[in-house]
Amino acid sequence: MAVLPCGTTWAAWSGVHELFMPRFVVENRLLSYPMRMSGPLSLSSCSFQREPALTHNVRSPQRSFSKRGSRLIVRAETDYYSVLGVSKNASKSDIKSAYRKLARSYHPDVNKEPGADQKFKEISNAYEVLSDDEKRSIYDRYGEAGLKGAGMGMGDFSNPFDIFESLFGGIGGMDMGGRGSRNRPTEGEDQVYNLTLDFKDAIFGVEKEIDISRLEQCGTCNGSGAKPGTTPAKCSACGGQGQVASATRTPLGVFQQVSRCSACGGTGETSTPCSTCSGHGRVRKSKRINLKVPAGVDSGSRLRVRSEGNAGRRGGPPGDLYVVINILPDPVLQRDDRNILYTCKVSYIDAILGTTLKVPTVDGMVDLRIPSGTQPGTTLVMAKKGVPVLNRPNMRGDQLVKVQVEIPKRLSNYERKLIEELADLSKATANAPKSWR
């Protein structure tokens, strides 16, 4: 008797008579040796590959028989424990906890990365086996081939969304893909509107009327998408699941992919579409909204207008409208958060002697006193002439005025003579004894 390994299963080969000795067939056929199994074995789970010049010696009770054939190669099967990230002695609660965590991360309605749906399928299959004591016992002894030998093929797993819904049931925000969840009311999408304001309107606030285009509930079918007087029926393509699974058999195994049903659009139901909304349950309309912009908004600020977005599906609540603010620049004044910046020019005489100038502010022209001896680059503060604090209009920032002293490039003869006399006086004063000063 010869014992040959096949994956995690050992098959005993015995009592072979030369009259019934078949050839090894490699191309899309199964080996047909009569055998006695030490455990369930499905040769369809094994892949075969021809390798020339290899001889198998099988001894029968009467004589030796030598036959040229092919070697049996068993590829690695799926490790369900590794798929869930648990050890082989993990408890049921550990397996359930690992499944819940991974299923949340790889659910196709949450994870849009390529391969997420296949990963979700693998996680569900692993949980279905390891959470069942009988299936887990067979898997621990004989591996995936043992499950197939026990009558559970690659296509015999439960719908992964049914498993998911049985644990989550749409509770706690996990309303993402079961048969019932796809027909529940869903909130409408949010809308974005870009609004451009003048410099002073953004500082002091303003009321604006804006026209928006949004999806509103169809008045003919009341948002159901079905023609009035008709009743939705279960989709025959997906059986009301809203999802369809397709299997592709490859040399590496069977790959299953879950996708949204194209016949019902993922709702699990089909009906005669409404003639007004073409079955969408919503129609696009324009609406004029009176918008109150608060004082102190800045470029990039977003104003939220509740329930002015797109209408929800199947009677769900509408989304919100977000108004994004963009502010036009002022040719004279600049804004720095809550402060207003301005640069004024003064002559060197005014900087030395001091003066009073009229400077522009957001409140209009205001007098600003330039102290005597003001140095070039000095910043003077005009308190509470800046931008109001958002939602607190009684609090305002400041206007910061930077003084730029102008030095003349040309002087008249008389001006030069006076400045030279002033320079001589300054030198004499500097060299005189302190008691004379």
Side-chain angles (χ1 to χ4, degrees):
M1 178 179 67
V3 181
L4 300 180
C6 183
T8 56
T9 303
W10 292 77
W13 298 56
S14 63
V16 180
H17 194 275
E18 63 177 317
L19 180 61
F20 300 98
M21 186 63 143
R23 292 179 298 172
F24 281 90
V25 181
V26 180
E27 298 178 357
N28 299 325
R29 301 172 188 170
L30 300 179
L31 295 176
S32 58
Y33 280 108
M35 62 180 65
R36 183 176 69 244
M37 302 296 300
S38 58
L41 174 65
S42 174
L43 291 180
S44 61
S45 66
C46 304
S47 58
F48 301 89
Q49 178 176 334
R50 179 182 297 276
E51 291 192 5
L54 181 65
T55 302
H56 288 274
N57 294 321
V58 183
R59 184 178 301 278
S60 68
Q62 292 81 10
R63 54 175 291 187
S64 298
F65 185 86
S66 178
K67 185 74 177 177
R68 181 180 300 274
S70 302
R71 187 173 64 182
L72 179 65
I73 298 178
V74 182
R75 302 187 185 277
E77 298 176 337
T78 304
D79 186 350
Y80 290 147
Y81 291 100
S82 298
V83 171
L84 295 181
V86 297
S87 61
K88 291 190 175 182
N89 58 354
S91 63
K92 274 192 172 183
S93 60
D94 293 337
I95 292 173
K96 184 176 182 180
S97 176
Y99 168 76
R100 290 174 65 94
K101 181 178 179 181
L102 292 172
R104 288 174 183 266
S105 301
Y106 287 97
H107 194 287
D109 285 356
V110 174
N111 193 327
K112 302 301 182 182
E113 296 181 1
D117 51 352
Q118 178 62 28
K119 182 67 175 179
F120 179 71
K121 178 71 175 179
E122 294 176 359
I123 294 168
S124 301
N125 292 349
Y127 176 73
E128 182 178 355
V129 172
L130 300 183
S131 62
D132 186 282
D133 292 336
E134 183 179 356
K135 294 178 182 178
R136 183 178 180 181
S137 177
I138 295 175
Y139 176 75
D140 288 341
R141 293 180 62 189
Y142 309 114
E144 193 175 356
L147 296 174
K148 299 166 189 169
M152 185 176 180
M154 291 302 295
D156 296 334
F157 288 103
S158 301
N159 190 305
F161 296 99
D162 289 343
I163 299 176
F164 183 88
E165 189 175 1
S166 67
L167 289 180
F168 295 101
I171 299 175
M174 294 305 298
D175 184 12
M176 301 185 306
R179 289 171 292 181
S181 65
R182 294 186 178 273
N183 288 323
R184 298 190 183 110
T186 56
E187 184 178 1
E189 302 85 1
D190 295 331
Q191 288 277 79
V192 177
Y193 183 88
N194 295 311
L195 178 63
T196 301
L197 297 177
D198 291 333
F199 188 81
K200 291 186 179 180
D201 288 342
I203 293 176
F204 296 110
V206 68
E207 287 191 9
K208 288 280 188 178
E209 285 189 346
I210 59 175
D211 294 320
I212 63 171
S213 175
R214 65 179 185 177
L215 293 174
E216 297 185 2
Q217 180 176 290
C218 176
T220 303
C221 64
N222 294 325
S224 67
K227 182 179 180 180
T230 62
T231 303
K234 181 186 293 186
C235 177
S236 58
C238 64
Q241 296 289 338
Q243 305 265 357
V244 291
S246 59
T248 303
R249 191 175 294 275
T250 69
L252 300 179
V254 176
F255 292 90
Q256 290 191 349
Q257 182 177 7
V258 179
S259 60
R260 175 175 293 182
C261 177
S262 59
C264 63
T267 63
E269 295 179 344
T270 57
S271 61
T272 304
C274 171
S275 59
T276 303
C277 62
S278 301
H280 298 292
R282 301 184 297 179
V283 292
R284 184 165 295 279
K285 293 183 178 181
S286 297
K287 183 180 179 180
R288 175 163 293 185
I289 297 177
N290 187 29
L291 179 67
K292 185 176 182 180
V293 180
V297 295
D298 201 352
S299 288
S301 297
R302 295 204 314 170
L303 305 180
R304 180 183 181 184
V305 186
R306 294 183 181 274
S307 303
E308 292 295 347
N310 289 334
R313 296 180 181 272
R314 293 176 291 279
D320 298 328
L321 173 66
Y322 288 91
V323 181
V324 180
I325 303 297
N326 181 43
I327 301 175
L328 296 176
D330 187 87
V332 177
L333 303 176
Q334 293 182 353
R335 180 173 175 175
D336 182 19
D337 196 12
R338 288 187 295 172
N339 295 326
I340 300 295
L341 307 181
Y342 176 72
T343 299
C344 73
K345 298 180 180 180
V346 299
S347 65
Y348 71 99
I349 300 296
D350 291 336
I352 295 173
L353 302 178
T355 186
T356 299
L357 299 177
K358 287 188 176 293
V359 297
T361 68
V362 292
D363 297 311
M365 300 300 293
V366 177
D367 291 336
L368 174 65
R369 191 179 71 87
I370 307 295
S372 60
T374 298
Q375 301 298 313
T378 300
T379 298
L380 304 178
V381 178
M382 302 178 70
K384 296 185 178 180
K385 293 295 182 182
V387 181
V389 178
L390 190 63
N391 297 324
R392 302 175 68 180
N394 294 330
M395 298 182 62
R396 294 181 61 175
D398 303 323
Q399 177 162 321
L400 307 181
V401 180
K402 184 177 181 180
V403 179
Q404 181 178 338
V405 179
E406 291 185 312
I407 306 297
K409 295 181 179 180
R410 295 181 179 180
L411 297 175
S412 63
N413 293 334
Y414 182 68
E415 288 175 334
R416 176 176 293 277
K417 179 179 178 181
L418 292 177
I419 291 176
E420 289 175 350
E421 291 179 358
L422 182 60
D424 293 340
L425 179 60
S426 177
K427 292 179 182 179
T429 304
N431 295 329
K434 293 183 179 181
S435 58
W436 292 6
R437 300 178 187 175

